[in-house]
Each structure stands twice: as C-alpha cells, then as structure tokens.
Amino acid sequence: MKTAWSSFLLLMATTSLLGQGIEDRLFKAGFENVQVLEKKDSLEVFFEHREFRSPYHSMHYAGLLLEGQVQKTIVWRPLYHNKPVGGYLQDFYSFVKLDKEARQFFKQNNKPWNGYRIQLRLFPNFAARFGYYEQPFQTRLDLILDTRLYLAPGLSLQTGIKFPVQNSLDENNAVVLAPTMLHYFMQPVNKHFVALSLGTFYYDRYGLDIQYRYAPLEQRWSFGLEAGLTGYYQVYSDHYSSSDLSIVHAVVDAEYRLPFENLSLKLSAGRFIFEDNGARLDIIKQYGNVDIGLYAARTTSGSTIGFQFALPISPGSIYRTKKLELRTPAEFRWEYSYNNEQPVARKYRLGMPRLADMLRQYNGNFIKNLSR
C-alpha cells in the first residue's frame, strides 16, 4: 500500500514539475498566460503570444522550444484576447475541438491579471488620398504608442497616444489620445464567436461595434454579421468636437475557403459605415504571415475597386522583461480604394483585427497547409 501511495505521489510531483517547466520556458520566450492540462497520454498547452499574427508560427516556435523534452502528444490551444479559440495536434494535421474538460480547466486556471506582461505597441498610422490637381498626393503619417490591459476574462482596455509625423491631408497636427476602447471577446459555444467594442475607433468614429461569426475552424464556410451605432469625433490640442450617435451600419457576409492556394472568397452586403447600401466582393490570398486582397464594390454611393494588405511590422519584440514588453504590431493593415471622391463599402478599423480576419488565421486548413 505504501509503495503504491509513494508511486502516486512521485507521479504527481513529476507531472507538476513537467507542467511548471513548460510554463517557465515558454514564458521566457514571450508566451503569456501559459497553462498545461496534463492527461494520461497527452498535454494540452494553453498560451497567448501577441507577437505572431498567425497562431501556426507561435505553435511551431513553442514546438521547437520543447523539442525532445515532452514524450506525450501535445495539443496546442492558442488563446486570443484571453480566451481559447481552438486546438491543434502537434503535427498540425488535426483540429481538436474545445471540450468541456478543457473549458473548465482554463476557467479555473486563467490568469487575466497577472499572466500577461504590460505590452506597449509602437506602429505607424498612415492615410492617403490621390488625384487632386493641386496636390496629387496627400498623406498623413502618425506614430502611435498604445497598450492593451486585460481587466477580466475576455475583457480588455486599449488606449494610447498618437504623435503626428507628417500631414498634408488635413489640419490636425496635435498630440492626442489614440483610439481608446473597451473590447470583449468570447466563444460561448464551439464555432460561435462574438466581439463587442465600445469607445473611439479609426476613421474618426466613436460608439458601439458588434461582431458575430459562425466559423467552424475545421471547415471551409463561415458566416458573419457586423453592426454598430456610431458618430463622428475629433480631438485637437485644446478642444474636441463630436456628433450625435446616429449612424447605423449592418453588414452580413459569407466566406468560402477554396481548396487550393490559401484563397478565400468573401461576399458582404448591407449598410456600410458611410450609410451606403450595396455589396462588396473580396478575394484574399494568405501568404503565411501576410494577407493580400483585391476587392470590388457597388453601393448607392458608386462603384470602386481596390486592394488591401495586412502584415506584421519588424522587428517584433524590441525590449522584454517579466512584466513589460515593447514591440511592433503583429498586424498592420492598409486599404486603397480607386474611388477617392465617395467612400464606397468602407469599414472603420478598431486597432485590432476584425473577427473574420482573425479567424481566417486560425482555420485548420490554413494551419495544415503552412505545416507542409
């Protein structure tokens, strides 16, 4: 009896040390809120790594760090905004759903207050307008230093400061508060994702933004709804101005991932943020950490074509300690429209990826293709 009890205690101690060793090693490499659920034949590793745009690269990096140290099968469970999104076997060829045991484990062990570093992001904000006779090329370049603080599970506060660098587009050259918002992200049940944002956004908007997406991450189809109630605002060095919350937008979309070349087709229709009604078709190509897209749109404001891209900005981590990190953003997104006179089928930016753009990176087919 004593021998059996001693063996059990030894097994528990060894298991605990293994989990703690994984947590410490990954945290030193920039991973945050690392939790290890140990099962008989596998380890489920929960983590968030905010430097990587695609979870594949964070999982691949974690695998290299732990190579030869873990004998059990690993299931990676990357987090997004302090919430688990899905699960991937270490060979990346199988998607593992978030089951009741994994949900309960993370809920009990989640550390939204002390599992994260204070991260400061330094990145450019660029706007441009082309085609005017007197000034064919009008631009504005700002430098933004912002941060995201986790207040509760899934709930964060984003805020920062905007520094003007160059401006031939408008007359606002003040150092002002960058877009600031409360953001809540959740996956109440598998395949259903919700994001709520309340505060100030890019395109000089403030108000409420709501996103819902049905996205089976192991399948090719996904469907979404984006809606919001906004108004305009401007912050200057000595005053601010704003309009009433009166602009309503609501757009539904369907996206299909083609079985080749990491291409996706996305059709959106509804009322866009400049109150034009119509439809937009996007073709998006994913190149690892970079997305490039072409689009065409027709609404009550006119027709246009354009392109967009999203990519990380080097060098990534600039300075890191146990409590603080200074880095460049995992995603910089910019869009160009041929129609400069009338904004057609536009969306404002939130300072973070929209649900459709974020979940596209977590699709099991995309992860599998990257691993080949």
Side-chain angles (χ1 to χ4, degrees), residues 42-108:
S42 65
L43 295 179
E44 299 201 8
V45 183
F46 296 78
F47 67 85
E48 189 159 350
H49 202 307
R50 291 185 275 175
E51 281 182 47
F52 294 101
R53 183 166 179 265
S54 166
Y56 166 77
H57 295 92
S58 60
M59 293 185 290
H60 179 66
Y61 182 34
L64 293 176
L65 291 172
L66 302 180
E67 189 172 9
Q69 300 183 30
V70 179
Q71 304 305 317
K72 296 181 178 181
T73 299
I74 296 178
V75 176
W76 303 113
R77 294 206 179 274
L79 309 177
Y80 180 76
H81 285 257
N82 189 236
K83 290 285 188 175
V85 176
Y88 310 84
L89 283 182
Q90 63 190 54
D91 62 2
F92 305 116
Y93 271 67
S94 299
F95 181 84
V96 184
K97 293 181 179 179
L98 195 65
D99 58 22
K100 185 177 180 180
E101 181 182 4
R103 283 180 179 273
Q104 189 63 28
F105 171 82
F106 182 75
K107 183 178 180 181
Q108 293 174 349

Side-chain angles (χ1 to χ4, degrees), residues 7-57:
S7 299
F8 174 74
L9 290 178
L10 180 61
L11 176 62
M12 292 299 293
T14 303
T15 297
S16 177
L17 288 172
L18 175 62
Q20 187 62 48
I22 291 174
E23 292 177 14
D24 292 343
R25 187 169 182 81
L26 293 184
F27 185 79
K28 289 178 181 178
F31 294 77
E32 299 174 296
N33 203 3
V34 182
Q35 309 291 338
V36 180
L37 171 59
E38 305 188 33
K39 296 182 176 180
K40 182 178 179 180
D41 300 316
S42 65
L43 295 179
E44 299 201 8
V45 183
F46 296 78
F47 67 85
E48 189 159 350
H49 202 307
R50 291 185 275 175
E51 281 182 47
F52 294 101
R53 183 166 179 265
S54 166
Y56 166 77
H57 295 92

Side-chain angles (χ1 to χ4, degrees), residues 80-83 110 112-113 116 148-158 181-186 196-198:
Y80 180 76
H81 285 257
N82 189 236
K83 290 285 188 175
N110 185 22
W113 303 280
Y116 291 89
R148 175 174 303 283
L149 303 174
Y150 289 103
L151 307 177
L155 179 65
S156 64
L157 170 67
Q158 177 176 303
M181 74 201 75
L182 285 170
H183 182 76
Y184 183 61
F185 170 75
M186 61 178 170
L196 307 174
S197 300
L198 178 65

Side-chain angles (χ1 to χ4, degrees), residues 72-194:
K72 296 181 178 181
T73 299
I74 296 178
V75 176
W76 303 113
R77 294 206 179 274
L79 309 177
Y80 180 76
H81 285 257
N82 189 236
K83 290 285 188 175
V85 176
Y88 310 84
L89 283 182
Q90 63 190 54
D91 62 2
F92 305 116
Y93 271 67
S94 299
F95 181 84
V96 184
K97 293 181 179 179
L98 195 65
D99 58 22
K100 185 177 180 180
E101 181 182 4
R103 283 180 179 273
Q104 189 63 28
F105 171 82
F106 182 75
K107 183 178 180 181
Q108 293 174 349
N109 294 276
N110 185 22
K111 298 181 290 186
W113 303 280
N114 59 12
Y116 291 89
R117 297 173 174 87
I118 295 176
Q119 293 211 357
L120 302 175
R121 297 190 311 170
L122 186 65
F123 62 98
N125 179 47
F126 179 73
R129 183 167 57 197
F130 307 97
Y132 281 85
Y133 181 76
E134 294 182 355
Q135 282 186 294
F137 189 53
Q138 297 172 289
T139 61
R140 184 181 67 227
L141 176 63
D142 305 313
L143 193 62
I144 292 179
L145 179 66
D146 75 355
T147 187
R148 175 174 303 283
L149 303 174
Y150 289 103
L151 307 177
L155 179 65
S156 64
L157 170 67
Q158 177 176 303
T159 189
I161 302 175
K162 182 173 71 173
F163 301 93
V165 177
Q166 181 276 335
N167 190 357
S168 59
L169 186 62
D170 55 42
E171 298 179 355
N172 191 353
N173 292 306
V175 177
V176 298
L177 193 68
T180 299
M181 74 201 75
L182 285 170
H183 182 76
Y184 183 61
F185 170 75
M186 61 178 170
Q187 183 185 182
V189 294
N190 284 331
K191 305 178 184 179
H192 298 267
F193 300 87
V194 178

